[in-house]
Amino acid sequence: MILREFLYVDTDKVRAMLAQLDGGIAEESRETERKEKRTTLGPRVAGQYFQGTGSETYTNKSLGDALFPTLEDALESESLLRDVSEEVSDPQQWSSGELKRGLPPGSLIRITAMGSLFDTRYAASAFSAFGSVVMGLNDLGYMQTVKPAIQGKSRQGQQGRTPKQKTADGPVALEDSIPDFPDIGGADGKTLRAFVKVSKGVFAPGLHVNLTPVEGVLINSRLQEGRQYLDSESDILFARYGTERQEWTVVGSIGSYGTEETSLPNMEFHNADGAVNRAKFADSMNAQMRNLGRLGFIDLPQQPGFSLIPFAVYRSIPRSGAAAVTRRLD
């Protein structure tokens, strides 16, 4: 028996796929039991005594938590789900291109590999908290000997700038929550804000599960807001799971592979009469974005990795050593 600790379940996708496989989803069970006892006194024409007892049991059994394991078992029984944990851990599979040839986009796969969580919003929050601590220590006199990161500013500028307030034009940028603070260990407010700006392009704000089964290869899953996951704030999530690499299992379908194009995109999208050819324009713009993805500048898969559209993300709960030994002896 596998006991799973779910981080994410896309219940809409799971239900839709189960409905295609089984023609419906059981949501409840009902059990009815009725007992009767009939006693006749004297001739039937004289009269009868009747005693009846009955009981009805109705159990509303929610199968929400069991939906994904049910789907996982059903897909495996139909040979629609393939576990590729060993293949993705083999560098030869990536360098030879065998993995991409054997697993086209849309393939349903399960991967168990080392990976980590990343969210640009949490990075901005953590850097902001760090800046606040540095400023507080500075105010308490613990960092008087530290040279300020920015010269020539007023005392107010050295102490920290006031975060921008939300305007009618839109929300405050993530990096604006990080105050100016004195340089400590080569890091100051300006540097950390720059890191957050880069993070917003490389990984669009939101929770990402980044599997790295082989050095230099990234399998990225972007978890969609509003699904059955993240029942806590981003800060609490990272406080629980941390930022270290650990073993995660992701089940889903392959979205797309990183582009293998290396030449610069052709931006000619005009017809002979000077009109814009909409098809060529769309192709040119997509080629430009693929090129930016190849360079790692935007949130697209990078060759030879791929994106994985997740149905579920979970950790398998390990058995205690004593329990495992007992089961082997049995």
Side-chain angles (χ1 to χ4, degrees):
M1 179 182 178
I2 300 177
L3 191 59
R4 304 168 178 86
E5 179 188 0
F6 286 102
L7 172 68
Y8 175 89
V9 177
D10 190 333
T11 51
D12 291 344
K13 285 185 179 294
V14 170
R15 288 175 183 272
M17 195 154 290
L18 268 176
Q20 295 179 61
L21 290 171
D22 297 334
I25 305 171
E27 295 286 353
E28 64 184 27
S29 62
R30 183 189 296 268
E31 179 182 350
T32 304
E33 181 182 358
R34 187 168 187 84
K35 298 179 181 179
E36 289 188 1
K37 182 178 181 181
R38 184 181 296 273
T39 303
T40 302
L41 300 176
R44 291 182 178 275
V45 295
Q48 298 181 3
Y49 172 75
F50 171 78
Q51 180 181 0
T53 60
S55 64
E56 182 174 347
T57 302
Y58 170 70
T59 303
N60 184 7
K61 182 180 180 182
S62 174
L63 300 180
D65 293 337
L67 277 177
F68 176 74
T70 302
L71 174 63
E72 197 172 22
D73 292 341
L75 290 174
E76 287 186 318
S77 65
E78 296 290 338
S79 299
L80 293 172
L81 179 65
R82 178 179 168 186
D83 193 306
V84 296
S85 302
E86 292 187 6
E87 288 94 322
V88 298
S89 299
D90 182 2
Q92 179 63 25
Q93 291 281 333
W94 294 99
S95 59
S96 66
E98 185 65 27
L99 199 65
K100 184 176 181 179
R101 289 190 292 270
L103 296 173
S107 300
L108 300 181
I109 60 174
R110 177 175 58 229
I111 299 176
T112 300
M114 299 298 290
S116 60
L117 307 179
F118 184 82
D119 191 336
T120 298
R121 297 171 300 185
Y122 177 70
S125 175
F127 290 165
S128 176
F130 173 70
S132 178
V133 169
V134 172
M135 291 169 58
L137 292 175
N138 187 59
D139 292 341
L140 291 172
Y142 287 100
M143 302 178 64
Q144 294 298 328
T145 60
V146 178
K147 185 179 179 180
I150 304 175
Q151 297 291 331
K153 286 199 171 185
S154 64
R155 179 176 176 82
Q156 181 178 1
Q158 294 178 7
Q159 291 280 329
R161 69 178 188 178
T162 303
K164 292 181 180 179
Q165 299 297 317
K166 182 176 179 180
T167 64
D169 295 334
V172 175
L174 289 175
E175 64 272 14
D176 288 329
S177 64
I178 303 172
D180 285 323
F181 58 87
D183 189 332
I184 176 171
D188 57 27
K190 181 179 179 181
T191 301
L192 296 187
R193 287 194 294 272
F195 278 128
V196 172
K197 290 178 181 179
V198 174
S199 297
K200 289 196 301 184
V202 177
F203 292 102
L207 184 63
H208 297 253
V209 178
N210 295 326
L211 300 181
T212 51
V214 174
E215 184 177 357
V217 175
L218 177 65
I219 301 172
N220 174 256
S221 295
R222 170 85 178 276
L223 306 189
Q224 185 175 349
E225 301 281 355
R227 296 299 189 261
Q228 186 176 321
Y229 82 108
L230 286 185
D231 54 353
S232 58
E233 298 292 334
S234 177
D235 290 354
I236 298 176
L237 179 78
F238 279 88
R240 290 174 176 174
Y241 294 103
T243 58
E244 297 291 328
R245 295 174 71 243
Q246 56 183 289
E247 189 174 82
W248 290 100
T249 297
V250 183
V251 178
S253 62
I254 296 178
S256 64
Y257 285 85
T259 183
E260 298 182 26
E261 301 172 2
T262 56
S263 59
L264 294 177
N266 181 8
M267 299 304 293
E268 294 294 333
F269 47 81
H270 291 89
N271 292 328
D273 59 359
V276 172
N277 187 306
R278 298 176 70 233
K280 289 182 179 179
F281 178 78
D283 288 341
S284 298
M285 293 300 295
N286 283 331
Q288 187 69 268
M289 287 185 284
R290 287 196 299 272
N291 183 57
L292 294 175
R294 176 181 64 85
L295 298 172
F297 289 168
I298 62 175
D299 194 1
L300 284 177
Q302 193 172 32
Q303 204 275 334
F306 57 83
S307 62
L308 190 57
I309 304 170
F311 295 170
V313 180
Y314 60 87
R315 300 189 302 185
S316 297
I317 297 179
R319 297 183 182 275
S320 65
V325 171
T326 302
R327 290 183 62 85
R328 286 198 297 268
L329 292 177
D330 293 342

